[in-house]
């Protein structure tokens, strides 16, 4: 069965510092991995995805994620955090056999000035 | 990419009543999904709705409680029936679309409907 784990409920960083939001996954086949962001009172917005190819994936708003097959991880990163990055971040894995997405529990990112 | 709108954006309802949430997409899509996001929790898939067939419900969700319509390729409704406070959640519509030149489907989400049941 497919599953995604986000071990941190909340991540606090100072503006200008690098940030990392962790995600690990479990899949039975090839991993199709995604990051979404949810701002208050808004729907989910797509940030980036890994399907195949380079392990370092670049996405929207300066975010990137590194796919690590040996550690089954897909951590979200940004070199310099902005206060406006404060939001809820979801990691997801797609089960291509059943056309379903499985979402992690979400990590609240707080960026303080 | 697909643009998705939902109505209503939020509502406050009384216990025992029903609410129908509409999802409109600006392009024709085969697969539409309904998710629930309970307060402080992640997204849970309620059902998959394909045009011309009955919706497929996930474990823990039943048609009597969450009837779904999919009359065409751009529209779907989800009804939350006989509501109780436990149904207070954000309900999100989602679609899959294969972008031009892309080998894989992308999934896009609507803004959500925030439901509070008193």
């Amino acid at each position: 069965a497919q599953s995604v784990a986000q071990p941190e409920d909340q991540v606090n960083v100072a503006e200008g510092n690098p940030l990392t939001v962790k995600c690990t996954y479990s899949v039975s086949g090839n991993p199709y991995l995604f990051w979404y962001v949810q701002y208050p009172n808004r729907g989910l917005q797509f940030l980036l995805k890994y399907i195949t190819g380079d392990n370092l994936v670049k996405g929207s708003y300066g975010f990137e994620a590194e796919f690590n097959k040996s550690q089954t991880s897909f951590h979200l990163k940004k070199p310099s955090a902005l206060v406006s990055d404060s939001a809820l971040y979801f990691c997801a894995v797609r089960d291509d056999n059943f056309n379903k997405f499985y979402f992690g529990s979400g990590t609240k990112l707080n960026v303080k000035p | 990419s697909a643009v998705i709108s939902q109505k209503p954006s939020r509502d406050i309802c009384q216990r025992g009543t029903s609410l129908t949430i509409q999802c409109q997409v600006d392009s024709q899509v085969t697969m539409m999904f309904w998710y629930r996001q309970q307060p402080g929790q992640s997204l849970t898939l309620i059902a998959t709705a394909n045009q011309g067939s009955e919706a497929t419900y996930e474990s823990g969700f039943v048609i009597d409680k969450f009837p779904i319509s999919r009359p065409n390729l751009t529209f779907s409704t989800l009804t939350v029936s006989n509501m109780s406070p436990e149904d207070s959640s954000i309900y999100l519509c989602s679609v899959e679309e294969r972008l031009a030149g892309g080998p894989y489907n992308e999934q896009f989400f609507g803004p959500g409907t925030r439901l509070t049941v008193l």
Side-chain angles (χ1 to χ4, degrees):
Chain A
Q2 326 290 22
S3 66
V4 173
Q6 294 181 241
E8 304 156 314
D9 291 336
Q10 186 166 300
V11 170
N12 299 311
V13 298
E15 188 174 32
N17 284 359
L19 69 87
T20 298
V21 183
K22 296 180 180 178
C23 172
T24 58
Y25 65 89
S26 174
V27 299
S28 54
N30 292 323
Y32 301 136
L33 299 160
F34 301 78
W35 275 102
Y36 287 86
V37 59
Q38 186 178 38
Y39 296 101
N41 301 315
R42 302 275 293 276
L44 268 70
Q45 296 180 32
F46 169 81
L47 272 182
L48 50 81
K49 68 179 185 290
Y50 172 83
I51 303 296
T52 186
D54 290 341
N55 290 342
L56 185 63
V57 179
K58 294 188 182 296
S60 307
Y61 312 121
F63 283 92
E64 58 188 29
E66 186 170 10
F67 171 66
N68 188 316
K69 188 173 183 178
S70 62
Q71 298 184 5
T72 61
S73 67
F74 190 56
H75 300 333
L76 181 70
K77 300 181 179 182
K78 187 172 182 179
S80 178
L82 300 173
V83 173
S84 58
D85 292 330
S86 298
L88 192 55
Y89 291 80
F90 290 98
C91 184
V93 62
R94 176 186 167 86
D95 181 344
D96 225 28
N97 291 327
F98 299 99
N99 292 319
K100 293 181 185 178
F101 274 67
Y102 296 90
F103 285 86
S105 53
T107 299
K108 185 177 181 182
L109 173 65
N110 294 316
V111 181
K112 299 186 177 180
Chain B
S1 62
V3 176
I4 306 167
S5 59
Q6 287 184 232
K7 289 182 182 179
S9 59
R10 58 177 63 225
D11 207 343
I12 300 173
C13 301
Q14 296 297 320
R15 180 196 300 262
T17 62
S18 298
L19 176 72
T20 295
I21 302 168
Q22 299 179 8
C23 177
Q24 181 74 52
V25 190
D26 69 344
S27 59
Q28 294 184 339
V29 293
T30 302
M31 301 187 72
M32 296 181 76
F33 307 86
W34 286 98
Y35 288 84
R36 181 174 73 182
Q37 185 181 18
Q38 292 178 301
Q41 297 191 27
S42 185
L43 281 75
T44 303
L45 180 63
I46 297 172
T48 303
N50 292 336
Q51 193 266 335
S53 62
E54 287 196 3
T56 303
Y57 289 83
E58 296 299 301
S59 176
F61 297 97
V62 295
I63 188 171
D64 290 345
K65 175 67 175 177
F66 297 101
I68 288 172
S69 78
R70 183 80 201 275
N72 57 52
L73 292 174
T74 63
F75 188 78
S76 177
T77 67
L78 169 76
T79 299
V80 186
S81 304
N82 189 24
M83 289 184 285
S84 66
E86 291 71 34
D87 294 320
S88 298
S89 291
I90 299 173
Y91 291 86
L92 294 126
C93 172
S94 172
V95 304
E96 277 206 349
E97 184 180 48
R98 178 159 291 184
L99 300 180
Y104 304 99
N105 291 343
E106 301 274 351
Q107 191 161 37
F108 301 94
F109 289 84
T113 296
R114 184 179 294 270
L115 171 62
T116 302
V117 184
L118 303 177

